[in-house]
Amino acid sequence: MKGMLVMAAYGLKDYYNSADDIVKTVIDHGIAAASAAALSGCIPGTGGAVAAAVSIGIILKMYISLGKLLGIYFGNGVLKALASAIVADLAGSVTAILAVSAVISFFPGIGTLGAATITGITSFCYVYLAGLIYIQMVGKILKGGKPIENLSEEELKAMAKQVANDLNMKDAVEEARKAYKNNKR
């Protein structure tokens, strides 16, 4: 069986003919987040917070890249609101792991390496899940027939929240971890 991300990307085939480009965009942004986060994970105590901020920036960039692929252009305010809604829904899943990373980072050597590893994997998963939610949400909007530009910020946030709530988070996180292992560079 194909993964959720691949299936979501193939669900957009009527709007964009290369699901592989969509998946690659998510993976590439996830790898960028993992690399930056792993470096920030070496900063004792604050590395997790830095990693989270970097991941949010990369998620915004990913949404812009995916929008360009799909011919979807959200206004900057709508894009930020959408990203913040998705990030907020994922925050609970990620916060505990980043907290562990912060504690581990205070131990020189192995603690720093462990924190960098945990923070990198977590950031990859964060971006991957944000991409999955975005792609599923866009697919739902496009299939609904209402032009995206006619949806309010509130409607987009509600839809993102619904897609996130419908997602089997345990399976999605496991898929993200496997994608990280298969794509780490």
Side-chain angles (χ1 to χ4, degrees):
M1 184 172 139
K2 295 194 185 253
M4 289 180 254
L5 179 63
V6 172
M7 296 302 287
Y10 276 101
L12 295 174
K13 70 179 185 292
D14 290 341
Y15 310 100
Y16 187 75
N17 62 359
S18 179
D20 292 339
D21 287 351
I22 295 169
V23 172
K24 183 179 180 333
T25 298
V26 173
I27 297 294
D28 288 350
H29 284 85
I31 293 296
S35 299
L39 289 174
S40 70
C42 295
I43 303 168
T46 61
V50 172
V54 168
S55 293
I56 292 168
I58 290 175
I59 289 168
L60 279 171
K61 184 184 175 310
M62 176 179 63
Y63 288 174
I64 292 167
S65 297
L66 288 169
K68 285 180 182 176
L69 281 177
L70 299 167
I72 298 168
Y73 300 98
F74 293 113
N76 198 28
V78 173
L79 186 61
K80 285 180 183 175
L82 180 60
S84 68
I86 291 173
V87 166
D89 281 340
L90 294 174
S93 304
V94 176
T95 302
I97 295 169
L98 291 176
V100 168
S101 168
V103 171
I104 291 173
S105 71
F106 284 111
F107 299 99
I110 193 75
T112 302
L113 180 60
T117 301
I118 291 169
T119 306
I121 293 169
T122 302
S123 294
F124 178 89
C125 291
Y126 206 30
V127 172
Y128 187 94
L129 295 172
L132 174 61
I133 291 169
Y134 177 90
I135 293 165
Q136 287 183 344
M137 186 194 77
V138 166
K140 191 173 184 177
I141 292 169
L142 293 172
K143 289 174 184 160
K146 187 174 181 181
I148 290 175
E149 54 274 356
N150 292 351
L151 296 172
S152 70
E153 253 181 70
E154 292 74 29
E155 289 173 302
L156 289 169
K157 284 181 178 180
M159 190 169 286
K161 186 169 185 60
Q162 183 62 49
V163 169
N165 289 341
D166 291 346
L167 190 63
N168 180 329
M169 196 57 72
K170 183 179 177 186
D171 290 347
V173 168
E174 185 56 34
E175 178 179 313
R177 284 185 188 155
K178 285 179 183 174
Y180 174 79
K181 281 184 175 180
N182 292 335
N183 291 283
K184 66 182 178 179
R185 298 176 186 141

